[in-house]
Amino acid sequence: MKKLAIIGASYLQEPLVLKAKEMGVETHCFAWEDGATCKQLVDYFYPISILEKELILEKCVEIGIDGITSIASDSAVPTICFVAEKLGLISNSYNSALVATNKFEMRRRFSDFDVNSPQYIIANNDYSLVGFRYPLIVKPTDRSGSRGVMKVVQKDDIEAAVKRAQLESFSNQVIIEEFIDGSEISVESISWNGIHHILAITDKITTGEPYFVELEHHQPTQLNTEIQEKVIIETQKALTALDIKFGASHAEFKITESGSVFAIEVGARMGGDFIGSNLVQLSTGYDFVQGVIDIALGSFEIPVLKENKYSGVYFLSKETENIKDYILNSEQNTQIISSDISDKELHTSQCSADRSGYLIYQSNMKMNL
């Protein structure tokens, strides 16, 4: 029986654990026990922080793992690549993982490889915004889920935005970049030996300024074919720039009204918010989660996109309280695949953790609620 190390044990990893068990793979999961909903699902659980890469390596050597992976977790990526590199397993390089999880280093790599992206600067002690045009976006270099992200429209608000982002940053580092006005999308891909296979383009709806928390995701995209081709070209360039050669990736872009495509950031992992774990398979028929496991264990089959459905997720918050009734009555709607209310109180969203529930659908057309 193959042995798979899984980094992280939150609800985000549940589809990965369940798919591995369905495939007959022995699961070994590493995470703190607090919030470890996968603890009862895996074969073996180890209460070790996902950041303790040396300790995890030591245990993986003892176990004799055949592969290591995670889904939807930026924080897990360096540990995965570090362990895999030390053990000669399939993964991206550890150096590429460090770049892919640091927005400043990512921007520098984009510049080196001529990937179209916003002007940027690191907010160190003596940074200067001469030559930058407002509005600006301030964000931690090493967080996801909209944590610490804020739009700033005037100079007087920069300092407060930087301090807010620093509080959310693991490294206390903050990046400032010019704000690109336009629609938001993401590109879901899977790679093998440097060949990138585009699975889906996802349309996004956010709260808008100042925090831009994601409230909806829909596949397939409503972009026209010409723009989609531009997006695919920039995705291929960005993945190559970051030296992402194996596994899932989630690339985020802004599309301006004039049709320009700007790379915002790329994760060397599956997209969160149910995008990778649910929506890709619902819209295309391709089992993305199994594909990630197969690659970690050293095998790969070219993806076959055999379905052409619409799928999406709506998140419940104060901004979207109109969907609460749909969730409560979801059993009466066959298009609703799954739904949940995790918090009866609805919050105004400043980051993804403020959302109180969700609704996932699959349909022959986009579900507009």
Side-chain angles (χ1 to χ4, degrees):
M1 179 182 288
K2 294 281 189 179
K3 298 177 181 179
L4 180 68
I6 295 172
I7 307 303
S10 74
Y11 74 95
L12 293 171
Q13 306 304 322
E14 289 182 19
L16 180 64
V17 173
L18 294 174
K19 178 58 64 174
K21 293 178 76 68
E22 178 187 314
M23 295 168 63
V25 174
E26 187 175 282
T27 51
H28 296 259
C29 191
F30 298 83
W32 283 129
E33 291 192 78
D34 185 31
T37 61
C38 292
K39 180 180 178 180
Q40 306 304 321
L41 300 176
V42 295
D43 296 306
Y44 299 93
F45 179 79
Y46 310 93
I48 302 174
S49 166
I50 66 173
L51 303 180
E52 294 285 355
K53 61 184 187 296
E54 297 281 0
L55 291 178
I56 292 176
L57 170 62
E58 184 179 326
K59 195 66 183 178
C60 286
V61 170
E62 179 185 324
I63 296 164
I65 63 167
D66 298 290
I68 180 169
T69 192
S70 181
I71 58 175
S73 173
D74 278 326
S75 300
V77 171
T79 294
I80 291 166
C81 296
F82 174 82
V83 172
E85 193 168 82
K86 293 293 185 181
L87 298 182
L89 301 173
I90 296 293
S91 81
N92 298 306
S93 70
Y94 179 57
N95 183 63
S96 74
L98 296 179
V99 173
T101 51
N102 184 295
K103 293 176 176 60
F104 177 62
E105 296 299 331
M106 185 183 298
R107 281 276 178 271
R108 293 210 297 190
R109 194 66 65 87
F110 284 170
S111 297
D112 291 343
F113 283 77
D114 198 30
V115 178
N116 197 33
S117 60
Q119 183 180 0
Y120 66 94
I121 192 170
I122 195 79
N124 54 25
N125 293 331
D126 57 352
Y127 70 91
S128 170
L129 294 176
V130 174
F132 280 76
R133 294 175 299 175
Y134 287 86
L136 303 173
I137 288 287
V138 178
K139 61 177 74 170
T141 60
D142 52 6
R143 294 304 300 266
S144 58
S146 303
R147 290 179 178 85
V149 177
M150 190 170 183
K151 181 181 179 182
V152 177
V153 297
Q154 58 185 5
K155 181 179 179 180
D156 291 346
D157 297 330
I158 279 286
E159 185 177 349
V162 168
K163 287 181 178 178
R164 179 177 180 271
Q166 285 175 329
L167 290 174
E168 293 288 350
S169 173
F170 293 125
S171 63
N172 206 41
Q173 283 194 320
V174 173
I175 188 172
I176 301 172
E177 57 191 38
E178 289 191 346
F179 175 71
I180 305 298
D181 193 15
S183 58
E184 295 191 37
I185 63 162
S186 66
V187 182
E188 324 315 324
S189 310
I190 194 164
S191 303
W192 176 258
N193 203 27
I195 304 299
H196 313 301
H197 301 270
I198 308 300
L199 304 175
I201 300 176
T202 309
D203 290 336
K204 297 175 177 288
I205 302 295
T206 75
T207 58
E209 56 185 72
Y211 303 119
F212 301 95
V213 181
E214 294 166 348
L215 297 177
E216 303 174 28
H217 303 293
H218 302 276
Q219 296 175 4
T221 180
Q222 303 297 292
L223 295 173
N224 65 49
T225 302
E226 181 182 354
I227 298 298
Q228 289 187 50
E229 289 174 353
K230 288 184 181 180
V231 168
I232 290 170
I233 290 170
E234 290 299 317
T235 301
Q236 300 274 1
K237 287 167 58 179
L239 294 176
T240 299
L242 300 178
D243 198 29
I244 296 174
K245 294 181 177 179
F246 295 97
S249 60
H250 173 75
E252 297 184 347
F253 293 89
K254 281 283 196 76
I255 315 297
T256 68
E257 191 173 324
S258 64
S260 296
V261 176
F262 285 85
I264 303 303
E265 57 191 68
V266 177
R269 43 79 180 172
M270 188 179 286
D273 282 357
F274 305 104
I275 295 172
S277 58
N278 295 73
L279 300 193
V280 168
Q281 185 168 10
L282 289 172
S283 63
T284 71
Y286 174 67
D287 194 333
F288 197 7
V289 179
Q290 181 172 332
V292 168
I293 295 172
D294 284 341
I295 286 177
L297 295 176
S299 65
F300 177 71
E301 292 185 8
I302 295 175
V304 176
L305 309 183
K306 55 190 177 184
E307 293 283 356
N308 187 20
K309 297 279 190 180
Y310 285 82
S311 69
V313 57
Y314 285 87
F315 291 100
L316 178 63
S317 66
K318 191 65 177 175
E319 295 89 344
T320 60
E321 55 188 337
N322 64 297
I323 73 167
K324 186 174 183 179
D325 286 342
Y326 288 93
I327 297 175
L328 293 173
N329 298 291
S330 60
E331 294 181 359
Q332 300 173 23
N333 190 332
T334 57
Q335 296 176 331
I336 297 177
I337 303 301
S338 65
S339 61
D340 182 55
I341 295 178
S342 55
D343 187 345
K344 292 182 180 180
E345 182 179 354
L346 302 187
H347 307 274
T348 300
S349 299
Q350 294 190 25
C351 71
S352 58
D354 293 327
R355 300 177 304 200
S356 300
Y358 69 89
L359 175 159
I360 298 173
Y361 74 88
Q362 182 193 50
S363 179
N364 290 323
M365 62 182 65
K366 180 181 176 182
M367 181 182 285
N368 294 304
L369 301 182

